[in-house]
Amino acid sequence: MKNRIIPIFMHKAHKLLTLIMRGCKVGLSMKTIISKLKELRTSRGLTGEEVARHLGKSGNHVISRIESGETNLSLETFEKLCKIYNVSPASLFGESKSFSKKKGFFDRVSYRAEEKEIAEELKARLLPVLKDLRKLGTLQEKLGRKPFNHKEILKFELDNSLPLKSQKSIAKELASALREKLGIDEDDELDIVDLISNKLNIPILGIDLGDSLWGFYSKDVYDFPLIVFNENNRFEGRKRFTLAHELGHYILHNERSELDFDGADKTDSEYVVDAFAQELLVPTSYLRRYYDEIGLSLVKEIKPFHVAMLASKFKVSFLMMSYTLKDMGKISWDDYKALKEYCFERLDIEASEIGYATPDYVVKVKPLSNRIKELSFEAKAKGVIGIDELSKLTNMSTQELLKVM
């Protein structure tokens, strides 16, 4: 058995590791596997002690002994390490091409049964957009502006088995970490479109998604991401929240997404990215400080005009601010339900009376075609692409280009 050569594509990852342990020749050695694991750990910026803690052990020696070959790597530990480093076991054996098909834009989005009809209609409308997404993604790569690597702040895959409260707490920490990484202070006004499009290099598409769909995020087969939101939503604050929410999916659930529906029964993952969006747009510590500064901590009962004042300050919807105050313990669950009812039944009528207005933060997003043109001309100016490629990307003839260049 030891002398038998076993083709690598014939076995699943765990079988391959078992065969390596038995001394079979499978095209890879245990030393190579351990070297890859060490490379993954260092690329994630993790210490041996941090990894050991996630394995339920203590001390740096546990990982150092595995990486030096002093301690045998068990199948169980191997699988746990793969989960910590957020990689598939198969990828360490070069199996990804043999065993899995690269997921496309719509393959990554999960649908509930009642969403199927909407999803099929959406596919038909978005298919032409994917060509533009590929053009844009290619241009960004050539200009050295790849989309933000979510693993820069998400060093460990979020454990879905944790209590929802813990997952939401982690999501808020990640939102704070993103602000800090980008140098955005908690009291700085956040331009969510600029943050996503320019600082993180993630394209945004605004289209009419009907009356019930807020938005969603996904990636195409080339791993180029796209955040889609409903540009015809009449609540500008809700648009900002949708963009922050979908960014949360990009950070926390990079390989999958769910359609964000109005009134749909939420999954835990939706509540988790809600917490991310909430903290990104309305940093808890700043809201607490501002709440006290304007004297709301002395008010016995929070009224709609109080909520409207805070919503306008942080440029979020009335409903989101109501939920945030409930989440912070500033109002009770019953108070929140009353404010929610007010939002849907009376807010439109009394908006001006309570000082609730949103025109100062209308969400404006350039069409993908405009963004492609901008980057194409920049790429040509920097010598990254030639005139012929510029012509294809902009759908302009050489003669037309020469006139405007």
Side-chain angles (χ1 to χ4, degrees):
M1 182 68 177
K2 287 187 177 181
N3 295 323
R4 186 181 171 194
I5 304 296
I6 301 174
I8 195 167
F9 56 82
M10 289 178 61
H11 299 276
K12 296 292 186 182
H14 67 280
K15 290 183 178 179
L16 282 167
L17 188 65
T18 303
L19 291 166
I20 289 174
M21 290 173 174
R22 292 176 181 171
C24 301
K25 296 179 181 179
V26 294
L28 285 176
S29 67
M30 180 61 79
K31 185 177 180 180
T32 302
I33 297 299
I34 290 173
S35 176
K36 287 187 175 185
L37 288 170
K38 182 178 181 179
E39 186 179 331
L40 283 168
R41 177 180 64 76
T42 55
S43 69
R44 302 288 191 267
L46 300 170
T47 65
E49 189 171 358
E50 287 175 319
V51 175
R53 191 165 64 249
H54 279 261
L55 288 174
K57 304 180 184 299
S58 60
N60 182 57
H61 65 280
V62 176
I63 299 303
S64 65
R65 286 177 180 173
I66 290 175
E67 292 178 350
S68 65
E70 293 178 38
T71 301
N72 289 332
L73 175 64
S74 68
L75 180 58
E76 181 184 4
T77 300
F78 170 73
E79 290 174 340
K80 285 182 178 179
L81 288 174
C82 287
K83 187 173 182 180
I84 290 170
Y85 300 148
N86 196 22
V87 295
S88 67
S91 66
L92 296 183
F93 294 92
E95 281 189 319
S96 52
K97 290 184 180 179
S98 303
F99 281 93
S100 62
K101 178 185 175 183
K102 192 79 171 173
K103 287 187 175 181
F105 189 83
F106 298 104
D107 298 325
R108 301 175 195 262
V109 183
S110 62
Y111 312 103
R112 291 179 282 272
E114 65 271 18
E115 299 166 6
K116 285 291 185 181
E117 187 176 335
I118 297 175
E120 289 306 314
E121 180 186 342
L122 192 60
K123 282 183 183 180
R125 294 174 58 201
L126 285 179
L127 277 173
V129 175
L130 298 186
K131 292 182 180 179
D132 282 344
L133 179 60
R134 189 154 59 248
K135 287 181 182 179
L136 189 55
T138 302
L139 277 168
Q140 287 183 170
E141 283 191 340
K142 288 185 176 182
L143 289 167
R145 297 180 192 167
K146 289 185 178 182
F148 176 74
N149 184 355
H150 68 292
K151 292 176 183 176
E152 288 186 38
I153 60 171
L154 183 67
K155 293 186 177 181
F156 297 102
E157 185 179 5
L158 188 64
D159 187 349
N160 295 328
S161 66
L162 289 172
L164 180 58
K165 186 176 181 180
S166 298
Q167 292 187 57
K168 289 172 68 175
S169 177
I170 292 171
K172 288 188 175 187
E173 288 176 10
L174 289 171
S176 297
L178 182 62
R179 269 182 168 267
E180 184 179 349
K181 184 170 185 63
L182 298 176
I184 304 171
D185 292 335
E186 63 177 16
D187 55 349
D188 285 347
E189 186 174 308
L190 184 67
D191 183 336
I192 191 66
V193 174
D194 177 67
L195 171 73
I196 295 173
S197 294
N198 300 323
K199 290 185 171 63
L200 302 180
N201 296 316
I202 301 170
I204 302 173
L205 175 68
I207 59 173
D208 183 0
L209 294 175
D211 297 329
S212 59
L213 183 58
W214 299 114
F216 70 101
Y217 141 80
S218 192
K219 295 192 295 185
D220 70 3
V221 71
Y222 302 97
D223 279 342
F224 297 141
L226 178 67
I227 287 176
V228 182
F229 77 102
N230 191 345
E231 66 177 357
N232 285 344
N233 188 323
R234 63 194 179 94
F235 298 111
E236 290 297 328
R238 186 59 173 86
K239 289 180 185 178
R240 290 184 78 241
F241 184 80
T242 295
L243 291 173
H245 175 98
E246 301 308 332
L247 176 59
H249 276 301
Y250 178 81
I251 300 292
L252 290 153
H253 312 124
N254 192 264
E255 292 300 323
R256 61 184 174 84
S257 181
E258 296 177 356
L259 296 180
D260 185 10
F261 275 86
D262 180 26
D265 293 333
K266 286 190 174 182
T267 60
D268 281 359
S269 62
E270 290 294 297
Y271 282 112
V272 171
V273 292
D274 273 356
F276 174 92
Q278 180 181 320
E279 187 65 25
L280 186 67
L281 297 174
V282 187
T284 303
S285 56
Y286 180 44
L287 176 58
R288 288 186 189 279
R289 190 169 74 248
Y290 183 74
Y291 190 93
D292 292 339
E293 284 175 358
I294 61 176
L296 285 181
S297 55
L298 303 175
V299 175
K300 289 184 177 180
E301 182 183 355
I302 296 298
K303 300 286 188 180
F305 73 87
H306 294 131
V307 178
M309 179 171 53
L310 292 171
S312 298
K313 163 69 178 177
F314 288 92
K315 298 187 176 181
V316 295
S317 70
F318 182 95
L319 188 59
M320 182 202 158
M321 182 52 70
S322 301
Y323 185 85
T324 303
L325 293 174
K326 188 270 298 179
D327 219 29
M328 286 174 55
K330 297 297 184 182
I331 61 175
S332 68
W333 177 252
D334 287 339
D335 290 336
Y336 167 69
K337 288 195 292 185
L339 288 167
K340 183 177 180 180
E341 184 178 340
Y342 174 89
C343 176
F344 289 113
E345 295 185 2
R346 296 168 55 193
L347 181 59
D348 280 350
I349 301 170
E350 301 179 7
S352 58
E353 184 181 329
I354 65 171
Y356 182 67
T358 61
D360 58 328
Y361 56 90
V362 172
V363 172
K364 292 182 179 179
V365 177
K366 293 179 181 178
L368 292 187
S369 56
N370 287 21
R371 185 67 173 157
I372 289 170
K373 277 190 177 181
E374 288 177 2
L375 294 186
S376 296
F377 281 107
E378 183 182 340
K380 176 65 177 69
K382 291 182 176 180
V384 176
I385 62 174
I387 190 73
D388 290 338
E389 190 171 355
L390 178 63
S391 176
K392 289 179 182 178
L393 288 167
T394 58
N395 295 319
M396 297 172 69
S397 66
T398 304
Q399 290 75 17
E400 290 173 319
L401 288 171
L402 292 174
K403 288 180 182 179
V404 299
M405 288 174 63

